[in-house]
Amino acid sequence: MAGGRLCIEESLVTLLQPIYPRHTNRYGTLHGGWLAGWMLEAGGMASMRASRGYTVLGAMDYLFILSPGRVGENLHVYAWVVGSTRRTLDVLVYAEARPLGGGEARPVSVSLQTYVAVDEGVRPREHGVEVQPCSLESEPLVEVHRYWLEARRPLLEQRRRIAGSTAPLDAVYRRTSYFFVSPEDTFTIPTVMDASRLFYQIDQMAAVPAIEFTGAAMVTAGFDAVVFASPARVGDLVKLEAGITGAGRSSVEVAVRVAARNPQAEDVERTVALLYATMVAVDEEGRPRPLPRRPVLSEERLRGYLERRRLRDERRRVAQRIVEHARLLASGR
């Protein structure tokens, strides 16, 4: 980096993570919460390295699970800073699995993430970094950044809507859990819960209504786009609400609301984030199966679900194209 300019290629951060049995379900495939956490760790490290300071996750595009990571494989997570504004850095994160003894890499996940540069008081700051491509291989990622700038506009509108909301989750078959944020939930900023830790909790909570009310074993297929309205801090009591908002033949959509408050200083909880997770019913071999019991949903709720599924399918097609660019960069070709 020189003079505030940063080549996309130079921004690369790589995370290598062996997949141990403790990271997997009973089918030997990687838990979605672990995968999301590692994807966010890599994105956070890339943004902090580029901005030369603290960053916090502001928004994330759909995190798609393209294929399951399996026990014994090595997961390689690549993160590139593909664009910036005065106070934000946009990061493309791509993960692929490789067999322990060698063999062809298999795409596992892809996501686009926006990080806000902040100071030690978690106040937004200007980072002074201008990101640019420095090779033909990285030029397509400029278009990825433009796509993400447009795609996240609705998320910023959602942030304004949920920032001051104390309304409970609008879903059926709701379940609620609580936990306190402790220092071990932080990453680099010692007072703020890291998104990688939070997504592990979100993944665990999303499975509860999905499994309980369908009677099926479930695996995570991905997380929808999400924006963070406020941080959860050490000492906060975090509330996770999860409920079903849609169902297909073998999958259910689960909405998760994250809220927090400091019980010593706040009487009213604040919304941290609102997102949807897709959970897929599987048989004893880990293959998709029809839902044993289908949730009862109103016509209005079903229409909302079908529209979100349409948008999800569109984004997945875009994600497949992004994966091809990421694979080329990761391979060095």
Side-chain angles (χ1 to χ4, degrees):
M1 189 193 314
R5 293 182 180 272
L6 175 66
C7 291
I8 290 175
E9 298 87 340
E10 295 174 357
S11 71
L12 174 64
V13 166
T14 305
L15 177 68
L16 172 60
Q17 177 63 58
I19 301 175
Y20 294 114
R22 66 176 179 269
H23 300 136
T24 63
N25 54 33
R26 60 178 173 170
Y27 312 110
T29 59
L30 180 61
H31 269 296
W34 281 109
L35 174 60
W38 294 335
M39 298 278 284
L40 290 164
E41 278 187 16
M45 287 189 287
S47 66
M48 285 186 289
R49 179 171 175 263
S51 71
R52 295 158 292 182
Y54 292 135
T55 62
V56 294
L57 182 67
M60 183 181 76
D61 195 20
Y62 295 71
L63 190 151
F64 287 113
I65 299 177
L66 308 169
S67 66
R70 298 184 176 90
V71 67
E73 292 182 327
N74 285 321
L75 192 74
H76 295 249
V77 186
Y78 303 92
W80 298 269
V81 180
V82 297
S84 61
T85 66
R86 288 170 56 200
R87 294 184 174 87
T88 67
L89 294 148
D90 296 319
V91 183
L92 167 63
V93 185
Y94 163 69
E96 60 185 23
R98 297 178 187 174
L100 193 59
E104 187 174 353
R106 184 183 73 259
V108 169
S109 186
V110 65
S111 178
L112 286 162
Q113 303 164 10
T114 293
Y115 289 86
V116 181
V118 296
D119 61 19
E120 292 184 359
V122 201
R123 294 178 295 265
R125 63 179 173 89
E126 294 188 14
H127 51 68
V129 177
E130 182 183 344
V131 180
Q132 60 184 14
C134 296
S135 69
L136 291 175
E137 289 78 14
S138 63
E139 281 187 0
L141 299 187
V142 176
E143 290 303 316
V144 170
H145 177 235
R146 289 176 184 151
Y147 151 77
W148 178 219
L149 285 175
E150 192 66 30
R152 77 185 186 200
R153 285 185 182 180
L155 291 180
L156 299 179
E157 288 297 322
Q158 184 191 61
R159 184 184 189 278
R160 283 187 277 270
R161 288 197 305 271
I162 70 174
S165 173
T166 58
L169 182 70
D170 181 19
V172 296
Y173 309 108
R174 284 185 301 177
R175 288 292 180 261
T176 304
S177 72
Y178 296 86
F179 67 90
F180 279 104
V181 181
S182 65
E184 70 174 13
D185 295 318
T186 65
F187 181 28
T188 55
I189 305 178
T191 60
V192 175
M193 184 177 190
D194 189 67
S196 63
R197 297 281 291 189
L198 179 58
F199 262 81
Y200 180 79
Q201 298 281 0
I202 289 171
D203 181 65
Q204 294 289 92
M205 191 61 195
V208 173
I211 293 172
E212 185 176 2
F213 292 106
T214 66
M218 290 279 176
V219 296
T220 309
F223 302 96
D224 277 16
V226 59
V227 64
F228 287 82
S230 67
R233 299 175 183 269
V234 172
D236 280 354
L237 177 64
V238 175
K239 178 169 75 173
L240 295 176
E241 295 177 285
I244 295 175
T245 50
R249 178 177 177 273
S250 60
S251 66
V252 294
E253 178 190 76
V254 179
V256 181
R257 176 178 176 257
V258 185
R261 73 180 180 92
N262 182 333
Q264 295 177 316
E266 297 173 300
D267 295 325
V268 180
E269 66 187 22
R270 61 190 184 280
T271 299
V272 172
L274 177 65
L275 71 152
Y276 298 91
T278 300
M279 313 296 292
V280 176
V282 292
D283 60 21
E284 288 299 319
E285 303 298 320
R287 295 171 300 202
R289 57 162 293 187
L291 297 175
R293 295 195 299 270
R294 292 185 59 80
V296 178
L297 301 166
S298 67
E299 288 295 323
E300 181 181 2
R301 199 176 294 281
L302 209 52
R303 283 194 298 271
Y305 161 70
L306 291 174
E307 175 60 17
R308 287 189 296 273
R309 191 173 72 175
R310 182 188 67 79
L311 293 173
R312 197 176 298 135
D313 290 343
E314 287 181 3
R315 297 292 261 278
R316 183 175 281 272
R317 287 190 288 270
V318 172
Q320 292 289 356
R321 295 197 297 271
I322 292 173
V323 163
E324 293 308 310
H325 300 315
R327 293 186 76 180
L328 285 174
L329 267 183
S331 67
R333 296 197 297 268

